Amino acid sequence: MKSKFMLFVWAALVTIVLIGSLSFARQGIGLITEDFASSNDISWRIEEFYEYIGPAILNPIDKEEAMKKITVTDSEIEEHRTRYGTLADQLSNIHDQYASRIADAKDNGNEDLLTTLVEERNKKLEDIKKNFESDAHVEAKIRKAKERVLEQYLNEIKMNSFSLPIAYTLTDVDTGETYTFGDTYASSIYKKEFNASNGYLKAYSLPDRHVRGDWSSISYDDSEVYVTDEDILNMANPVKLFEGEVIIPKTVIGKGGELYSQYKDFNRGKSMTFAFYLIGLLALGALLTVAKFQKEWVTETAFANWYSGVKVDAKIALLFATSFILLGYVESHSNLHNFFMYQSLGRWGVWLTSFIVGGVIVTAFLAFQLVNIIERWKQIGVFEADLKNSYTAQFFKALQEMFLNRSIGVQSFILLIGFFLAGIGFVFAAMNPFLVVVYVFCVVFFALPVLYIFIKRSAYLNRILKATEAMAAGRLNEDIKVEGSSPLAQHAKNLNNLREGVRVSMSEQAKSERLKTELITNVSHDLRTPLTSIITYTDLLKDETLDAEERAKYVDILDKKSQRLKTLIEDLFEVSKMASGNLELNKQRVDLTQLLQQALAEHAEEIAESGLDFRTTFPETPFIAYVDGQRWWRVLDNLIVNAVKYSLSGTRVYITLRKMGDNAEFVVKNITKYELGENVDELFERFKRADTARHTDGSGLGLAIAQSIVDMHNGQMKIELDGDLFKVTVTVPAG
């Protein structure tokens, strides 16, 4: 709980520092020197004053003179004349417009309305005819409409009111005429002088923005004409130059003045902004001293454990999103002066909420993300594993696997592109009717054939799935019909092969039952033989006439047979444990070279007596693998004992230990004493021996035990037979 609290305190301090730093970088220096008169709120009002004092007061356009400058072009006359079609079209339209209304007036006997409608219709018909008969008639109509629009525009300019109580004394440089408003000798917060050295005031007869070609704020369209920019500029007066001065009296910011409240807001915002900068400095000091960031605030949380399982590309996306949110928040809240100028109790609540949600929480989460990434980067192999397990890697892997069967991949890709283009084409066709023809052509000659093939393949796939269900239920009588040479047809062939494999498996199962029977027989034989000997010699020992030498001989035989029986039972129990999975491995780092040397030394006497020539090859340096040393020694011991027992006397036995890629490989090669059958896999079966007469010592479980131990180590054991050459290869992951 304390870690979470400290993390959020740290995040709050960081957010304050970020907002304060960006705000100071943008407006801090300017705010130190800025006064109320140079603030943005006042500046744009002053610019507005200079823009409109010319058109409204100093250099207004004379309406009568402006109307004389109106021009009407031949193209305007022609456009006005034919705007609604030919003469016949327009006359027909007028007749149609009045026909039903005149008929209704006749039917209702309303003579006054009938007369009015007929006169109105005839007047319009006559006007249309004159339009096509006389250019002067059309020109007069256009000119009158333009006069109406231009008069409206000039009235709008003159009605513009200044939003500042500005005093001025300005004199026309050419005529000497002076314009005065207010007391320009009063104490002021803003003052600007215009003269030859400072520059004269240029008074335009149009707003400055219109002189620059910005007509976006003007609406001078009419139902009959369109007033062009040229029409507006033609009525402008020449620019006049004025000297004098313009001031904003100081009284406007005094108590009761027109700008008093704005002045108070400006100074309050300025003071509170600098107070925030001071808080930011204190926050920075705290971050460098008492509130230094500690990674334990992040790592020792339950959320950290959950977040570690999130895919790395999702983390990166979240990191960018969080960073942009924080940058956006700091950006939107960095204009502290304006905020403090216009803040209210309600706005303070909104600011505090956004500070906690958009600032503190986002900053804390961003810190959490960065620490998580850095910590996982430090762990060897973890970040690489995260990249391999990412959504992006899985997507590209899936995309690659999509083309394992290139035909299916290409067809699926074309199908996806086709559907995508069909959607795009539909949108464009809806936007442009001309493209409908192209779209229909593509649908008929491309989309529909592709759709037909897709449906046909889907139907074939469903038939294959139904046949697969029948195979899973054990109904193996019918083959799946192979149609064509598509990937689905090849899949049907593979399923047919699988069905045949199931039949072979059933044959193998019968073989397994036979081996089980042989197993029981062999177990019974190998256990009964020593047990029979024990019983026989026990009975002989009961003879009191035996001398000491014979008695000792019988006791020695009993001891050997008992040890033989003990070995059989212990090996049988160990194999059973391995088969049931109840045997646990104690894996550790083991030097395989040393372990092999120990196993050979254990049987040095037996090897010397066997008459066999053992040739060994193994690394001169330690060869480390992660195995259960005791169990792996048993594998080596069993294979060496097997070679000693069943190798032809006088031959060589080759034992090799080497590294093959990431695996350790142990190989034993010898010439067999007994003739082996072709099916060497049965040698892995329990109680199977090369000595089929079962005259040799041993349990017949050596290879079975070795196989089980190798399997438990995720290794492989393989037997190869070439005539009398017997070869066992054991591989296990090295590390």
Side-chain angles (χ1 to χ4, degrees):
M1 192 68 180
K2 183 180 178 182
S3 297
K4 291 181 181 178
F5 175 75
M6 290 303 300
L7 177 61
F8 280 107
V9 169
W10 177 87
L13 295 174
V14 170
T15 306
I16 290 173
V17 170
L18 290 175
I19 294 174
S21 300
L22 183 58
S23 175
F24 187 80
R26 287 185 167 182
Q27 56 183 185
I29 301 299
L31 202 60
I32 294 173
T33 58
E34 184 181 26
D35 57 14
F36 178 65
S38 61
S39 65
N40 290 333
D41 188 46
I42 300 301
S43 296
W44 75 264
R45 295 186 184 185
I46 293 175
E47 291 300 321
E48 183 187 48
F49 167 79
Y50 288 130
E51 183 174 3
Y52 279 97
I53 191 172
I57 298 173
L58 303 180
N59 192 13
I61 294 175
D62 183 85
K63 184 171 65 174
E64 298 299 329
E65 292 297 322
M67 297 308 173
K68 295 178 182 178
K69 298 178 182 179
I70 292 175
T71 61
V72 178
T73 65
D74 293 339
S75 60
E76 287 179 311
I77 293 173
E78 187 62 25
E79 190 279 332
H80 182 86
R81 174 180 290 150
T82 59
R83 182 180 299 172
Y84 301 108
T86 63
L87 174 61
D89 292 336
Q90 294 185 42
L91 293 176
S92 176
N93 288 335
I94 296 298
H95 277 290
D96 292 341
Q97 291 176 18
Y98 284 89
S100 60
R101 297 172 65 190
I102 291 174
D104 290 341
K106 285 182 178 179
D107 293 339
N108 296 328
N110 192 338
E111 295 297 332
D112 293 337
L113 177 59
L114 177 61
T115 302
T116 301
L117 291 173
V118 171
E119 290 177 354
E120 186 177 304
R121 180 198 63 188
N122 292 339
K123 185 177 180 181
K124 289 185 177 182
L125 292 173
E126 187 63 30
D127 182 66
I128 291 172
K129 291 177 182 178
K130 287 184 179 179
N131 286 343
F132 283 86
E133 293 172 356
S134 170
D135 289 348
H137 177 73
V138 178
E139 180 182 354
K141 291 170 63 177
I142 295 175
R143 184 178 298 278
K144 186 174 182 181
K146 283 190 175 184
E147 288 176 355
R148 188 166 57 250
V149 172
L150 293 177
E151 183 178 8
Q152 180 183 356
Y153 171 63
L154 293 175
N155 289 337
E156 288 176 358
I157 292 176
K158 290 183 178 180
M159 289 175 61
N160 184 74
S161 58
F162 304 121
S163 57
L164 276 179
I166 295 179
Y168 57 84
T169 298
L170 296 169
T171 301
D172 191 325
V173 174
D174 293 330
T175 65
E177 186 178 1
T178 300
Y179 298 83
T180 301
F181 181 83
D183 182 8
T184 55
Y185 295 101
S187 180
S188 63
I189 62 171
Y190 168 85
K191 182 175 183 180
K192 187 169 184 178
E193 294 185 357
F194 297 93
N195 49 44
S197 58
N198 293 337
Y200 294 115
L201 172 64
K202 294 181 179 180
Y204 296 95
S205 57
L206 293 173
D208 187 46
R209 70 188 70 173
H210 300 166
V211 175
R212 295 192 305 267
D214 178 11
W215 307 95
S216 58
S217 61
I218 304 176
S219 176
Y220 41 74
D221 200 1
D222 185 84
S223 60
E224 296 183 12
V225 298
Y226 177 76
V227 179
T228 64
D229 301 341
E230 186 180 357
D231 289 323
I232 300 295
L233 291 175
N234 283 339
M235 66 182 185
N237 298 329
V239 180
K240 293 184 178 181
L241 300 179
F242 286 82
E243 61 181 357
E245 58 185 5
V246 176
I247 72 164
I248 299 178
K250 198 170 185 178
T251 55
V252 299
I253 61 171
K255 195 168 185 178
E258 296 178 53
L259 300 180
Y260 175 66
S261 60
Q262 293 94 319
Y263 178 69
K264 272 181 46 180
D265 291 342
F266 175 84
N267 288 331
R268 178 185 61 195
K270 191 172 181 178
S271 301
M272 294 185 72
T273 300
F274 285 119
F276 192 93
Y277 293 159
L278 179 60
I279 294 172
L281 288 174
L282 295 175
L284 180 61
L287 290 172
L288 297 175
T289 54
V290 297
K292 286 184 177 180
F293 183 81
Q294 299 179 23
K295 68 179 182 179
E296 290 77 13
W297 297 344
V298 171
T299 57
E300 297 179 359
T301 60
F303 183 70
N305 296 330
W306 174 87
Y307 189 76
S308 296
V310 177
K311 304 288 187 183
V312 66
D313 38 8
K315 290 180 182 178
I316 293 174
L318 279 174
L319 179 64
F320 277 104
T322 307
S323 302
F324 281 120
I325 291 173
L326 182 60
L327 288 174
Y329 169 79
V330 173
E331 163 74 21
S332 63
H333 287 72
S334 62
N335 194 353
L336 292 173
H337 182 239
N338 282 354
F339 170 74
F340 289 130
M341 278 178 61
Y342 304 114
Q343 59 83 25
S344 62
L345 185 61
R347 287 175 60 86
W348 270 108
V350 173
W351 189 89
L352 184 60
T353 301
S354 66
F355 176 76
I356 294 174
V357 176
V360 177
I361 294 178
V362 173
T363 303
F365 186 47
L366 182 61
F368 172 86
Q369 292 173 291
L370 292 173
V371 170
N372 179 270
I373 290 176
I374 292 172
E375 289 301 308
R376 293 185 73 82
W377 178 272
K378 290 179 180 179
Q379 300 177 37
I380 299 175
V382 172
F383 195 74
E384 290 79 359
D386 286 345
L387 290 177
K388 290 180 180 178
N389 196 38
S390 64
Y391 287 120
T392 303
Q394 291 178 2
F395 169 78
F396 282 107
K397 182 180 178 182
L399 187 63
Q400 184 179 10
E401 292 175 349
M402 176 181 173
F403 289 91
L404 287 177
N405 187 311
R406 184 170 297 179
S407 178
I408 289 180
V410 171
Q411 290 177 22
S412 300
F413 185 76
I414 292 175
L415 199 63
L416 290 174
I417 294 297
F419 282 124
F420 175 77
L421 293 178
I424 296 295
F426 180 79
V427 173
F428 280 107
M431 296 172 58
N432 189 345
F434 173 75
L435 295 177
V436 172
V437 178
V438 179
Y439 181 73
V440 171
F441 178 84
C442 292
V443 167
V444 172
F445 292 99
F446 176 74
L448 290 181
V450 169
L451 183 62
Y452 169 76
I453 295 172
F454 174 72
I455 292 175
K456 187 177 179 182
R457 295 283 174 86
S458 298
Y460 186 33
L461 176 61
N462 285 331
R463 292 199 299 273
I464 293 175
L465 292 176
K466 292 293 289 183
T468 306
E469 291 178 5
M471 290 176 56
R475 297 191 295 273
L476 307 174
N477 300 325
E478 295 183 6
D479 284 347
I480 301 174
K481 186 177 180 182
V482 177
E483 299 178 0
S485 58
S486 67
L488 291 179
Q490 185 60 45
H491 182 59
K493 290 180 182 178
N494 294 336
L495 288 175
N496 288 333
N497 293 335
L498 178 62
R499 182 181 60 82
E500 188 62 29
V502 171
R503 289 182 177 177
V504 174
S505 176
M506 293 174 67
S507 175
E508 291 292 330
Q509 186 176 2
K511 174 185 172 183
S512 177
E513 293 296 329
R514 176 178 60 81
L515 292 174
K516 285 181 182 179
T517 303
E518 292 182 6
L519 172 63
I520 295 171
T521 302
N522 292 335
V523 169
S524 300
H525 178 274
D526 284 5
L527 291 177
R528 186 169 60 246
T529 300
L531 185 58
T532 301
S533 297
I534 291 172
I535 295 172
T536 300
Y537 284 100
T538 301
D539 289 339
L540 289 174
L541 283 173
K542 294 177 182 179
D543 187 354
E544 296 179 356
T545 63
L546 291 175
D547 55 25
E549 184 180 350
E550 289 181 329
R551 188 178 297 278
K553 180 180 178 182
Y554 292 163
V555 170
D556 183 57
I557 293 173
L558 283 172
D559 180 61
K560 289 182 179 179
K561 298 299 180 181
S562 298
Q563 291 299 324
R564 165 79 174 144
L565 186 60
K566 178 185 177 184
T567 300
L568 282 169
I569 294 173
E570 287 179 349
D571 286 352
L572 185 59
F573 275 131
E574 187 162 4
V575 171
S576 299
K577 283 184 180 179
M578 292 179 185
S580 62
N582 293 328
L583 190 65
E584 294 184 0
L585 297 179
N586 181 23
K587 288 186 177 182
Q588 53 189 335
R589 291 171 61 81
V590 175
D591 183 357
L592 297 182
T593 301
Q594 183 181 6
L595 197 64
L596 176 57
Q597 291 172 338
Q598 291 175 357
L600 288 169
E602 186 79 16
H603 297 283
E605 186 177 345
E606 299 173 37
I607 293 172
E609 294 175 354
S610 67
L612 298 171
D613 183 8
F614 269 71
R615 301 293 180 91
T616 58
T617 304
F618 42 76
E620 297 179 358
T621 58
F623 189 5
I624 306 301
Y626 192 61
V627 296
D628 185 326
Q630 182 180 356
R631 303 293 176 190
W632 202 253
W633 185 91
R634 182 68 182 277
V635 173
L636 301 179
D637 181 73
N638 284 2
L639 295 177
I640 292 171
V641 169
N642 192 71
V644 172
K645 285 183 180 181
Y646 299 111
S647 294
L648 182 64
S649 180
T651 60
R652 284 183 287 273
V653 177
Y654 293 90
I655 296 179
T656 304
L657 175 64
R658 60 188 175 183
K659 186 171 184 180
M660 296 293 289
D662 294 332
N663 296 324
E665 183 180 82
F666 176 68
V667 182
V668 179
K669 293 188 289 186
N670 63 286
I671 304 298
T672 62
K673 182 187 299 185
Y674 304 98
E675 184 177 353
L676 300 177
E678 294 182 359
N679 194 355
V680 295
D681 292 338
E682 292 190 4
L683 292 175
F684 286 116
E685 295 296 328
R686 302 166 194 175
F687 293 94
K688 278 284 182 180
R689 300 190 200 171
D691 176 15
T692 56
R694 314 186 75 79
H695 292 155
T696 56
D697 290 335
S699 63
L701 296 169
L703 290 180
I705 291 173
Q707 175 72 69
S708 298
I709 294 173
V710 171
D711 289 343
M712 293 172 67
H713 282 83
N714 295 322
Q716 290 184 343
M717 183 172 175
K718 181 173 65 173
I719 293 179
E720 297 175 80
L721 186 63
D722 185 4
D724 291 333
L725 177 62
F726 184 79
K727 179 181 177 182
V728 179
T729 304
V730 177
T731 58
V732 67

